[in-house]
Amino acid sequence: MKISSLAGGIGVQCSELDLTHPIPTHVAQQLQKAWIDSGIVVFKSMGKSPEQQLSLSRCFGELDVHPVKNLVTESQYPELMVLDSDAQARLSVYYRESAPDRPFVGFIPWHSDLIFTNRPNHGAMLRAVETPQHGGETAWIDTIAAYSALPEAMKQRIEHLEVEYRFCTSLLDAPYGRDSQLRMQVKGDRNFPAFPPVAHPLVWRHPVSGRKVLNLSPLHLQRVVDMDTSESHALLEELVAHVTSRTFCYVHRWEPDDMVLWDNWRTLHSALGYPLGDRRLVHRTTIGGDTQMGRALETDQVA
């Protein structure tokens, strides 16, 4: 097995790993270290089956079942999420005001998984089964690198702040990080489960590495807790622009059998979308987390 840095300095690539046999303990430990150290691990052309993906994923922790069933198609394995273009087209079809004749699906803006709960999953792995003719890339941002690049004065200003997150059921309702050109052509069933609002520390220490993270997920973000509305909005606009500047970004252009693993406690990711009618099939596994982040907000604390 070899591990090498990805171009741009965000994440690593693993090569020459044999997934046709059980992964030895010492190799699993090397993979875990690479995951914690880099946040993103790419396995090019290695995922030949759901069983290989599941086996590799279990090197990094126990697997969870995603709580928002509306977003996925079930498979024969409860821990395996199926992201299918046909199902996604029934849920949401978008277009941009500047190009109404080019609808697209599979788009999700910058976010951290389950940030709207107080126990986000530790990580996840995607495997490309079928790739669209155009688009379909996934991008990741390293929020440890984003925090490190902040001016010292900003680091001190945000050190002890909390931000409120609420589950956003429509991308058009997101207060931050939203494309002003985005419009919805098809809006399918939105019978999502209810999640109470939570407050998370804006600066968070990674439970494993101890490194500081800019814990800012534009999707689901609402406000800075206990801060004047205008001051909160200005601060969050500045921080969102900083973290999503693509300075700290890796973009993966998928080919069949590619797998990408990420540390959800230190990254954001975005599905960039692909044209309506193109076929895309992706399998995902979710690595659970046993660490509580933040707290539930009482009714009288919600703005």
Side-chain angles (χ1 to χ4, degrees):
M1 183 181 70
K2 294 182 180 179
I3 294 176
S4 56
S5 297
L6 292 168
I10 302 298
V12 297
Q13 180 166 320
C14 175
S15 57
E16 300 183 25
L17 175 64
D18 183 4
L19 295 180
T20 62
H21 297 88
I23 299 171
T25 300
H26 74 279
V27 174
Q29 290 171 344
Q30 292 175 43
L31 289 169
Q32 288 174 342
K33 184 178 186 305
W35 180 46
I36 296 300
D37 288 349
S38 66
I40 302 161
V41 185
V42 175
F43 302 87
K44 283 291 296 178
S45 305
M46 287 193 192
K48 304 298 182 182
S49 69
E51 292 77 16
Q52 288 186 353
Q53 180 181 0
L54 288 164
S55 176
L56 179 60
S57 299
R58 290 191 176 104
C59 290
F60 305 97
E62 294 186 10
L63 303 187
D64 275 355
V65 177
H66 199 283
V68 187
K69 288 292 188 182
N70 308 55
L71 299 178
V72 301
T73 303
E74 293 186 3
S75 74
Q76 61 177 315
Y77 301 101
E79 307 93 342
L80 192 73
M81 297 167 56
V82 176
L83 303 172
D84 180 274
S85 53
D86 293 340
Q88 290 189 313
R90 290 192 294 271
L91 185 66
S92 301
V93 177
Y94 298 99
Y95 65 94
R96 290 186 171 87
E97 192 175 278
S98 58
D101 58 339
R102 287 185 282 176
F104 55 93
V105 297
F107 171 71
I108 311 174
W110 293 112
H111 68 288
S112 177
D113 289 332
L114 299 184
I115 195 71
F116 47 84
T117 74
N118 63 5
R119 200 177 291 272
N121 55 288
H122 188 176
M125 181 185 291
L126 288 181
R127 179 175 74 94
V129 182
E130 297 181 51
T131 56
Q133 289 186 320
H134 309 283
E137 298 90 350
T138 307
W140 284 267
I141 286 172
D142 182 359
T143 54
I144 287 179
Y147 175 81
S148 298
L150 286 171
E152 286 303 317
M154 179 62 81
K155 290 179 181 178
Q156 293 177 21
R157 182 184 178 191
I158 68 176
E159 177 69 24
H160 301 294
L161 297 179
E162 290 183 310
V163 287
E164 179 186 328
Y165 288 109
R166 298 191 204 183
F167 181 50
C168 182
T169 60
S170 172
L171 304 186
L172 304 186
D173 296 333
Y176 295 97
R178 180 167 60 87
D179 182 348
S180 62
Q181 288 273 318
L182 192 68
R183 301 290 184 268
M184 182 173 282
Q185 186 180 90
V186 173
K187 185 176 182 180
D189 176 26
R190 285 297 188 276
N191 186 28
F192 293 126
F195 295 93
V198 294
H200 286 188
L202 185 50
V203 178
W204 191 56
R205 283 196 180 272
H206 192 286
V208 182
S209 71
R211 300 170 71 186
K212 286 187 176 181
V213 174
L214 181 57
N215 186 32
L216 189 74
S217 173
L219 183 60
H220 313 298
L221 178 64
Q222 299 295 316
R223 65 184 177 107
V224 179
V225 177
D226 296 330
M227 182 178 282
D228 173 79
T229 300
S230 60
E231 183 183 0
S232 166
H233 181 70
L235 176 60
L236 294 180
E237 285 279 336
E238 182 177 354
L239 291 174
V240 168
H242 169 76
V243 77
T244 60
S245 66
R246 296 290 186 105
T247 306
F248 322 102
C249 183
Y250 167 71
V251 179
H252 191 77
R253 293 169 175 82
W254 294 97
E255 296 180 357
D257 300 332
D258 285 357
M259 295 187 291
V260 179
L261 167 75
W262 70 95
D263 183 343
N264 188 57
W265 289 347
R266 66 168 284 181
T267 60
L268 302 174
H269 60 285
S270 174
L272 303 187
Y274 50 94
L276 178 65
D278 274 16
R279 173 70 177 158
R280 184 177 190 258
L281 180 62
V282 174
H283 289 174
R284 171 182 155 143
T285 47
T286 301
I287 299 155
D290 57 1
T291 298
Q292 181 167 323
M293 178 193 294
R295 60 191 174 89
L297 284 170
E298 302 296 335
T299 304
D300 59 359
Q301 295 177 296
V302 178

